[in-house]
Amino acid sequence: MISNAESTFMNVRAPMRRMLPNWIKIVLAAFGVLFVLGAIFGPSPKEESAAPSAASTTATPTATTSSAPPGRYLVTEIVDAGTVRVTGPLGVSLVRISGLRTPPANGTGCFGAESAAWARNALMNQYVTLDIDSADSAVASLKLTDGSDYSLLAVQAGYARFATTGTVFDTARKAAEGAAETAKRGLWAPPCLGTIDTPPAPSPSSVAPPAPPVERTVAPPPTPKAAPPPEPTTEAPPASSGGGSAYYKNCDAARAANAAPLHVGEPGYRPALDRDHDGTACE
């Protein structure tokens, strides 16, 4: 049964239906259909607001950084042929390469510049593998990307000396050093000849030639002058000489005066000079 209130409401709505034009009814019906479809298939306001943020997140590229291969270190600095600075899993480290003796880094040794240049060409900006010494974390053996041992290559090419360290590579390094010395490679060639701790000897071209000796004229010793012959003695002869006015003290004086031999009656003859008394003195 319909109550009085419902009857009254129906009575009021009936005239209103009759008063609305048909086109308004059509428009209202169309909006009603669209509202129903939107409620069923349309995204919720939260989903619409979330969609742009998701799209913007997808559109923004994420930055990527290149990293070293696992267990590898990047060589960033060459101090000398036996000391390098690397960056890797343990951060930045200064590493001394085991098994090597290299020229001093301060440039006072022999072949230092050549060794450092070779090491820079072989290692700079290259990824290497380090086998860190258990007794000293600052010392390590170094391998290149192809698996070759760097210290062995340096010794074999003549850019470093072999140092005994007790590793398994000692025999190979020693043999490599012997081959480099025999072939006179690198620091085994002149002027170093295997010495790396002292400066090289100056080349012959840089040494000034010795000054020529000063020629001195030596005067010959003076020729000794012959002693003049003794002058004949002018002493008066004894009364018994019978030889005139000339007098000779002895036969040497007579010979010096070119008067010998003296004969009886000649000037200067006297019996004292005639030993055999034959009449001729100073024979």
Side-chain angles (χ1 to χ4, degrees):
M1 294 180 67
I2 301 174
S3 63
N4 294 330
E6 291 176 349
S7 176
T8 303
F9 179 74
M10 293 176 63
N11 293 333
V12 173
R13 289 182 61 186
M16 291 179 65
R17 292 194 191 101
R18 290 192 296 266
M19 293 174 62
L20 292 176
N22 291 332
W23 66 272
I24 293 178
K25 295 178 182 179
I26 295 172
V27 172
L28 292 175
F31 275 108
V33 172
L34 293 175
F35 178 78
V36 173
L37 293 176
I40 296 174
F41 299 103
S44 63
K46 292 183 180 180
E47 292 175 350
E48 292 178 355
S49 61
S53 62
S56 61
T57 303
T58 305
T60 303
T62 57
T64 59
T65 57
S66 58
S67 59
R72 296 291 182 88
Y73 292 78
L74 178 65
V75 179
T76 58
E77 181 183 355
I78 303 297
V79 179
D80 56 44
T83 307
V84 298
R85 193 180 302 277
V86 298
T87 301
L90 299 180
V92 179
S93 304
L94 188 65
V95 178
R96 296 194 311 273
I97 301 172
S98 63
L100 292 183
R101 285 179 54 212
T102 57
N106 57 9
T108 59
C110 191
F111 214 65
E114 293 83 353
S115 295
W118 180 84
R120 192 173 295 108
N121 183 63
L123 297 177
M124 192 64 183
N125 297 324
Q126 300 294 322
Y127 284 105
V128 297
T129 303
L130 299 181
D131 185 6
I132 300 174
D133 195 314
S134 58
D136 188 351
S137 60
V139 178
S141 60
L142 187 151
K143 290 186 178 180
L144 304 178
T145 54
D146 60 357
S148 56
D149 181 71
Y150 167 77
S151 63
L152 183 62
L153 295 177
V155 172
Q156 189 174 15
Y159 290 98
R161 289 288 305 270
F162 158 69
T164 302
T165 59
T167 66
V168 296
F169 294 103
D170 286 353
T171 303
R173 291 194 192 103
K174 187 174 183 180
E177 183 176 85
E181 182 178 6
T182 302
K184 301 297 181 184
R185 288 194 293 264
L187 58 86
W188 294 102
C192 298
L193 299 176
T195 301
I196 59 177
D197 299 326
T198 57
S203 60
S205 59
S206 62
V207 178
V214 178
E215 295 183 359
R216 298 179 180 179
T217 303
V218 180
T223 304
K225 296 180 180 180
E231 295 180 1
T233 305
T234 58
E235 296 180 0
S240 60
S241 66
S245 60
Y247 172 77
Y248 303 102
K249 185 176 179 180
N250 48 41
C251 288
D252 291 338
R255 294 188 185 95
N258 295 323
L262 300 171
H263 301 281
V264 176
E266 292 180 352
Y269 174 84
R270 53 193 176 91
L273 302 179
D274 188 0
R275 294 182 180 180
D276 55 1
H277 305 288
D278 60 351
T280 301
C282 300
E283 298 174 315

